[in-house]
Each structure stands twice: as structure tokens, then as C-alpha cells.
Amino acid sequence: MTAFDAAQLDDIYAFAVQLGKDAGRMLLEAAEARYDGLNGANGDDAHVEKMNSVDLVTQTDEDVEAFIKNQISHRYPSHKFIGEETYSKGASKDYLIDDEPTWCVDPLDGTVNYIHLFPMFCVSIGFIVNSKPTIGVIYAPFLNQLFSSCTGKGAWLNERQPLPLMRNPIPPMPPNAPKGCVFACEWGKDRRDRPDSNLHRKVESFVNMAAEIGGREGKGGMVHGVRSLGSATLDLAYVAMGSVDIWWEGGCWEWDVAAGIAILQEAGGLVTTANPPPDLETVKIEEVRLGSRLYLAIRPAGPSEGESARQGQERTVREVWRRVRHLDYARPGA
Amino acid sequence: MTAFDAAQLDDIYAFAVQLGKDAGRMLLEAAEARYDGLNGANGDDAHVEKMNSVDLVTQTDEDVEAFIKNQISHRYPSHKFIGEETYSKGASKDYLIDDEPTWCVDPLDGTVNYIHLFPMFCVSIGFIVNSKPTIGVIYAPFLNQLFSSCTGKGAWLNERQPLPLMRNPIPPMPPNAPKGCVFACEWGKDRRDRPDSNLHRKVESFVNMAAEIGGREGKGGMVHGVRSLGSATLDLAYVAMGSVDIWWEGGCWEWDVAAGIAILQEAGGLVTTANPPPDLETVKIEEVRLGSRLYLAIRPAGPSEGESARQGQERTVREVWRRVRHLDYARPGA
């Protein structure tokens, strides 16, 4: 077990926030170069002109990860580093997070968005202590939205607006949730058209959540809205804001969610598994395992008459589980 | 027929941009009052505390529309005004836009988002001359994104970034579109779980667009991403940015889309009907009718070898039509 005192954590937190800002600025500058500069006067960019959007984005992704990794190893040489780019090139898909202090980083979440200059892309920097996401920094530079948290210090939008946004008081979960909830979900990359593919399991689940009450053989959830942003990291940040009530997703990796989970938990949200257990009505609701690739997140909630905040969140978890299919995202190495 | 000279249009355009900024600021201030001020020290808000979120939002919607309407009638007393709130309270659902100069306004698009403080809400102000959307102003104050256009003067993000964003050169439509495209769509309010309901027609269409090539009996479109923002107005603005390649939707009203169509057309995009005509391979692709409630938008495109920009857009329209169902959104009065 590693222990950090308050001053050490403060130092790491301030470093992480600055790192997120710097990395986000690199993402935005590289994006702007793609639309402003490439065919302009800058002769140095000649080699870049031969690359297509996807190559350019891959290059940016690698550059930003290398920048972050270098900054961390310079400042905290004893800390472990797990980044999307370095991991993806490795042979193994093992879960590598243990009790050592570990940085878990996605230099660019929302890659498809970034390729298309769709604004919902961000850098995600999580710092994990004793296997627990402790510091989270997410910066979406096109939106100029910076989310940050450190255990015990609150969760913040742009360093001054506490999360969740609505907090005087924090609203309880709606009595008939998922009715009244904003539901965020993602279509993902697995588009196989087979009867039991993840695509069809997901869509069946989405339709259950969306359909009128009484529809879908009683599974209709009549959520208030269905949203898909194309970034797991920003989905989690928006749950922490309270803007999204429920996020349900499979297939993410730990660097997609480490920072978001830190921020959401610090804001008062709940994160558990996406896949409904057999005894879903009664099972104890466990905290998500970071490497599980299956995530169900519920926004920070206030208590209502007769129900604590946690009870309202757990009730919502069970109502979601009643309506969703199991997803099949095993770890390749597991 | 009404004709405005360049100076008159300049004047109206500048007025509309300022109006959008002011109205957007009202939306943001009312949102902030909901999370910062309601239970704070301000005794004047006592009556507000008794209202729930939905009541507060309805009140804001009405207040902002009244503000916009008053500003317009003061400055341009001869112009017609059609706003969502005033229209919705009227008995008829007739299409009221004719050749008179007409302001077509949604004081708050993305109402569900606004209720939940999900950032994708905006004010939408369109100015229509001779039935053609001529000026468009969309302001999303939480995102600080202002979209504006006037026929002949270009389309702009935040008054300085020309649209589409990617323009050196503007990329052609992908050769295998919809593959490679970001596809935006909305689940909407019609959630009836009947075999042929709009919900099921939409979802079938979404899945066709998303599924692997070769899947769905040849209809699989393998789009690069599926996005749902919950605001028709911002969907159109994002198509004008080039961030969304294809938007397909039914059920919107003219105030949801008037400003967005003005901006998208000025940026070089194409807007036609969502519902595939019987002779979809050969039919001449017509400009959308503003009151049709059925919209298919394609982003601004550049030419490729052997294909003009317009040819690439029209090819994409036909590829979408091959994959989508008819939607059933008649005008109640029609």
C-alpha cells in the first residue's frame, strides 16, 4: 500500500490539472492546424499535407501521449504509467493496474469526433492509488470544459463550479426512474449484424430504455432523452455534472474511464457494472472493477422523503438492469 | 416579393446576431439561477422556489420569446413573427410562412437538455425572405458557440471562424458514404411501441446506417459514428461546421430548423426531405420545404476527382434514402 499525505496529493493534483490543460491545448492546436494551416503558407507542414486525417490524428494521439508520459516520468519517476497508445501497441491486453501509484491516460478520447472536428473530444488523465481512481482530469479544449477532482477535494468544472451543477439541493433520482432521466449510450465500434451481436444487444437495450411505459413487454422506460456523444470520458464527466442521469456502456478500457470515475465518484455518483447479475433485485451493488470494460454510471443524487441518495441510485441501477441485455466484452487476455 | 438592399440586410443581420447573444445570455442566466440562486439569499426568488424545473423552464421559454418578439416588433414593426411558444398556444398548426419578411424563432431549442442542464441547448433565430431562410443565428450559451449567417456573407462560428471548419480544401464526401460519415439522429418524443411506430421506423433506420457493410440485407452503412445531441438546431449547426456529415430527422417544426437551414445552406450544405421518394435513384433532389417536418441534411463538401461537390452530396442523399424508412409526421392541420 502506498500512502500520500495531503501536501503530496495537492502537488500531484495541481500537476495533473496543468498537464491536462497543456495536453488539451496540444489537441486543439493540432486540430486547428488541420483546418487552418495545412495548405497555408507554412512550408514546414509540407510532409503533413501528404497524410490523411486518420494518420494525422494517430500522430497527434501518439505525440500527446509521449508528452504526458515524459512530463510524468520527469516529475514522478517512481510512478507507473499506462496509456492508451503504448498499451495498444503491446502484445498483451492484461489488466496492469495494481497497488502502485499509477497514471492511467487517454491522450485523446473521442477519436472519431476528433477526426471529424466534432467538438466532443478530450484528454483524460487519471491517477490511481491502491487501485482506486484518486485524481481525475478531463479537458475538452474545443468546448473549453475542464473537469477535475481529487479525493476529498470535490469535483469541479473549470476549477470554480462545483459538481454536480444542480446542488441547492441536489435533486433526488426521479421516483419512476428511468422515466424522467437523460440516458447516455454509445453505438461503439462493434457493428456485427448477427442476431446476438453486441450491436443488437445494445440497440434492444436502448429501445427498452426509450419506449413508452407499458411497452416492450413492461420494459419500456420512457427516458426523458437518449444522448450519444461519442466519448466515454465525456459521458462520465456529464454524469458528474448531473446533466446525464444514467450512462450505460460496454467495451471501454481503463484509460477511457479512470479519470471520469474519479470525478464522478468524488461528485457523489455511483459506478457499477453494466451487465445485470442474475439476482438483480437483491444483489449488493458493488463498485465497478476498473478493468471490467462494463460500466453503469448514475449521477450524484440527493435524498428524497423516505429514501437516501444511495437508495435512489441503487433503485435506478436495478431499474436499468431490468431493461438491458448482457454485453460481451471480455478482456482478450482474460 | 420583398427585396432588401445590402445595407438593409446588413442592418437586420447585425440586429439578429445581437438579439441571439442577448437571448442566449437570458437562457444561461436563468439556468444559473436554477442551480446557484434558488435557495440562496435572494428573497425575490421565493416564488420561484415553489416551481419545479419544468415550470421554470417553461417560464424561461416564454420570457425569452416575449423578449425577442418585443425587440423585433420595436425595431421592425412591419415584419411578421412566428415563435414556438406563441404558435404552440394557437389553435391551428397551419404553415404560416409566406412571402412576407418573417422571423421564425425558437427561444429555447433542446428543452429537455435545458431542464437537465445538459449543455446542448440554444436559441434559434431565423429571418425568412420570400419563403427562403436568409439570416440564421444560433447561440448555445453554455458552450459559448454562436453560429450565424446571412445569404452572400458566409456562415460563421463565433463571428470569426468560417464554416465549414475544414476548408483547405473542404473534403469531398467519402467515396463509400455513409461509411466514414458521422451520422446524427434523434430519438424524439414519439416513443410508441407499435410495430410500425415512428420509434421503430427510426431505430430500424439507425441500425441500417450503423451496421457493418454487407449486414442488414445489404443496407448496412457502417457510419463512422452515431451521435444524438437532443437539439435539432444544434444538429444543423454541427452539419454546417462539417462535424456531422449526415443528419436525418422527422418531426421538427419550422422554428427548430429555420436558422439552421439558413446557416447550413450558406456554408454549402444540402437540405432535402428525410423520406425516400419512390424513384430515389433518379429523382431530382429538391430543396427541403421548410414546413415539411422531414429533414435530411448533408454537410458542405468539396469536389473530388470526377465528382462535383453537389454530386457527392446527392450521392450521399440517395445512399441514406436507401437505408431509411418513411417517417409519419404529418402537419395536424394538413
Side-chain angles (χ1 to χ4, degrees), chain A residues 31 34-40 53-54 112-113 115-120 142-143 145 157 161 165-169 180-182 185-189 191-194 199-200 203 206-207 209-212 214-217 222-231 238 241-245, chain B residues 31 34-40 53-54 112-113 115-120 142-143 145 157 161 165-169 180-182 185-189 191-194 199-200 203 206-207 209-212 214-217 222-231 238 241-245:
Chain A
R34 280 165 55 216
Y35 60 88
D36 281 339
L38 289 195
N39 293 281
S53 282
V54 176
V112 169
N113 291 344
I115 290 168
H116 294 263
L117 299 179
F118 187 86
M120 282 71 198
F142 197 104
L143 302 170
Q145 290 178 341
L157 171 61
Q161 176 64 52
L165 294 175
M166 199 100 71
R167 51 193 302 108
N168 293 311
C181 291
V182 171
C185 56
E186 301 294 347
W187 290 70
K189 291 175 195 160
R191 308 288 183 74
R192 287 172 296 175
D193 180 35
R194 298 179 200 166
L199 174 65
H200 288 292
V203 170
F206 300 170
V207 174
M209 293 293 281
E212 62 188 332
R216 307 287 288 177
E217 297 176 334
M222 194 62 196
V223 296
H224 209 184
V226 179
R227 303 288 177 265
S228 298
L229 297 177
S231 160
Y238 279 31
M241 277 207 284
S243 311
V244 167
D245 300 276
Chain B
R34 280 165 54 216
Y35 60 88
D36 281 339
L38 288 194
N39 294 281
S53 281
V54 175
V112 170
N113 291 343
I115 290 168
H116 293 262
L117 298 179
F118 187 88
M120 282 71 197
F142 197 104
L143 301 170
Q145 290 178 341
L157 172 61
Q161 177 64 52
L165 294 176
M166 198 101 71
R167 52 192 304 109
N168 294 310
C181 290
V182 170
C185 55
E186 302 294 347
W187 290 69
K189 290 176 196 158
R191 308 288 184 74
R192 287 171 296 175
D193 181 34
R194 297 180 200 165
L199 175 64
H200 288 293
V203 170
F206 300 170
V207 175
M209 293 292 282
E212 64 188 331
R216 306 287 287 178
E217 297 177 333
M222 194 63 195
V223 295
H224 208 184
V226 180
R227 303 290 178 264
S228 298
L229 297 177
S231 159
Y238 279 32
M241 277 207 284
S243 309
V244 167
D245 300 276

Side-chain angles (χ1 to χ4, degrees), chain A residues 244-288:
Chain A
V244 167
D245 300 276
I246 299 165
W247 176 62
W248 178 79
E249 173 64 324
C252 314
W253 297 94
E254 36 276 28
W255 47 84
D256 298 319
V257 298
I261 288 174
I263 294 167
L264 176 56
Q265 289 181 333
E266 181 63 16
L270 183 159
V271 196
T272 188
T273 182
N275 276 358
D279 49 348
L280 63 87
E281 304 287 353
T282 54
V283 67
K284 181 170 182 299
I285 292 175
E286 305 276 1
E287 213 166 282
V288 74

Side-chain angles (χ1 to χ4, degrees), chain B residues 1-4 78-82 87 94-104 126-134 254 258 289-291 331:
Chain B
M1 299 281 287
T2 315
F4 292 96
S78 67
H79 293 183
K80 260 175 64 173
F81 179 88
I82 294 173
Y87 187 97
D94 293 341
Y95 183 66
L96 300 173
I97 295 171
D98 53 25
D99 279 357
E100 288 183 62
T102 302
W103 294 82
C104 190
F127 180 61
I128 300 171
V129 183
N130 299 319
S131 291
K132 180 163 172 41
T134 300
E254 37 276 27
R289 286 183 306 112
L290 190 53
R331 290 190 88 85

Side-chain angles (χ1 to χ4, degrees), chain A residues 15-29:
Chain A
F15 168 79
V17 168
Q18 188 58 49
L19 192 56
K21 289 179 185 173
D22 293 342
R25 204 168 301 122
M26 285 178 73
L27 290 178
L28 191 60
E29 282 169 7

